[in-house]
């Protein structure tokens, strides 16, 4: 599953699991707004261009700073955008990609992944036969049936594990760091953090009568200006700490 599916479809599913019936009929409305805010971060806009590094390559402290401020703000759409930063930490910064150090590495690896040929994949498996790769991965995930993955998917699963693969192998064969595998430690942690923060957000909404009333009356709506204002003010506050 691609990361774009995570930012909308899986995020919405995870939010609904957390909300349950706590917000009544407004639960689906909140989940949709959160998922829309999350997905919007990846769409081409003045917002995405202006705040690009902090949206996709923030360190953990910065990503948490934004999401905590969004929880206080109580707007589901803004909160959804900040969840994107948390999720991208796992797939970008947490995978070793530093925007200001080697910002093009992530895209270089992705382009190489897109240009993978059957010949290049065969070259990898001539050096590391598939049974050997599966055996290495089985030491980390003993209950996973690796025959369910294509050779390209298995290669990316191997390249994700820094204990097994090298950075040079990513350079050589390409690497899709945004691919989602629900059995991996990384993506399970991403889900746990997403749902933990959603739970915090819902608790905050339920404690604030005015915020809850806006949700029940469906007053919150998507808005580019909302995101521009929130991110501008939050980034300024972070820089002046």
């Amino acid at each position: 599953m691609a990361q774009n599916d995570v930012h909308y479809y899986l995020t919405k599913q995870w939010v609904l699991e957390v909300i349950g019936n706590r917000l009544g009929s407004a639960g689906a409305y909140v989940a949709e707004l959160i998922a829309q805010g999350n997905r919007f971060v990846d769409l081409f806009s003045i917002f995405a261009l202006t705040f690009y590094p902090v949206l996709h390559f923030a360190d953990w402290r910065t990503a948490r700073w934004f999401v905590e401020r969004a929880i206080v703000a109580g707007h589901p759409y803004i909160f959804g955008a900040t969840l994107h930063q948390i999720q991208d930490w796992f797939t970008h910064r947490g995978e070793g990609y530093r925007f200001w150090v080697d910002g093009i590495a992530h895209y270089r690896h992705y382009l190489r992944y897109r240009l993978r040929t059957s010949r290049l994949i065969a070259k990898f498996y001539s050096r590391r036969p598939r049974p050997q790769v599966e055996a290495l991965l089985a030491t980390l995930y003993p209950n996973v049936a690796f025959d369910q993955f294509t050779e390209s998917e298995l290669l990316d699963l191997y390249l994700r594990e820094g204990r097994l693969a090298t950075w040079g192998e990513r350079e050589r064969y390409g690497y899709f760091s945004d691919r989602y595998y629900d059995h991996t430690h990384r993506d399970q942690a991403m889900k746990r953090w997403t749902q933990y923060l959603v739970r915090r957000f819902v608790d905050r909404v339920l404690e604030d009568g005015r915020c809850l009333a806006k949700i029940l009356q469906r007053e919150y709506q998507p808005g580019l200006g909302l995101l521009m204002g929130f991110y501008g003010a939050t980034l300024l506050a972070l820089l002046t700490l």
Side-chain angles (χ1 to χ4, degrees), residues 37 40-52 54-55 77 81-82 85 223-232:
F40 184 76
V41 174
D42 273 339
L43 301 182
F44 183 79
S45 68
I46 188 173
F47 166 68
L49 292 174
T50 302
F51 300 102
Y52 189 85
V54 77
L55 291 174
Y77 190 69
T82 62
Q85 292 173 274
L224 175 60
L226 286 170
L227 294 180
M228 293 293 290
F230 171 81
Y231 272 82

Side-chain angles (χ1 to χ4, degrees), residues 56-59 88-110 159 167 170-171 174-178 186:
H56 302 289
F57 294 92
D59 59 46
D88 267 13
W89 181 88
F90 287 96
T91 60
H92 296 176
R93 191 66 178 249
E95 287 282 332
Y97 297 110
R98 309 290 192 269
F99 186 82
W100 300 115
V101 177
D102 184 9
I104 64 171
H106 175 261
Y107 303 102
R108 185 171 64 246
H109 294 171
Y110 177 69
L159 291 171
W167 190 266
R170 291 186 182 184
E171 294 280 3
Y175 174 51
F176 185 20
S177 69
D178 290 324
R186 188 199 77 177

Side-chain angles (χ1 to χ4, degrees), residues 95-152:
E95 287 282 332
Y97 297 110
R98 309 290 192 269
F99 186 82
W100 300 115
V101 177
D102 184 9
I104 64 171
H106 175 261
Y107 303 102
R108 185 171 64 246
H109 294 171
Y110 177 69
L111 178 60
R112 186 66 168 162
Y113 156 79
R114 294 288 295 177
L115 296 175
R116 269 183 199 165
T117 62
S118 57
R119 191 173 192 175
L120 184 64
I121 294 174
K123 183 177 181 181
F124 169 77
Y125 286 107
S126 70
R127 297 180 176 183
R128 284 192 180 275
R130 178 162 182 149
Q132 181 185 90
V133 174
E134 292 184 2
L136 288 170
L137 289 169
T139 64
L140 304 176
Y141 306 105
N143 298 316
V144 174
F146 294 104
D147 58 0
Q148 67 182 294
F149 301 115
T150 66
E151 291 191 335
S152 184

Side-chain angles (χ1 to χ4, degrees), residues 163-225:
R163 290 165 288 184
L164 305 178
T166 67
W167 190 266
E169 287 177 305
R170 291 186 182 184
E171 294 280 3
R172 188 176 306 120
Y173 302 108
Y175 174 51
F176 185 20
S177 69
D178 290 324
R179 193 190 294 278
Y180 179 83
Y181 299 88
D182 60 7
H183 71 273
T184 60
H185 303 307
R186 188 199 77 177
D187 290 339
Q188 288 175 356
M190 181 200 299
K191 178 182 178 179
R192 285 195 303 272
W193 269 100
T194 297
Q195 292 195 310
Y196 163 72
L197 292 167
V198 169
R199 195 170 296 110
R200 295 260 320 281
F201 178 81
V202 174
D203 288 344
R204 180 262 183 275
V205 165
L206 291 172
E207 292 170 357
D208 187 323
R210 289 180 301 175
C211 188
L212 181 58
K214 287 184 177 181
I215 284 177
L216 295 177
Q217 296 168 23
R218 278 45 167 199
E219 292 184 19
Y220 290 121
Q221 297 297 326
L224 175 60

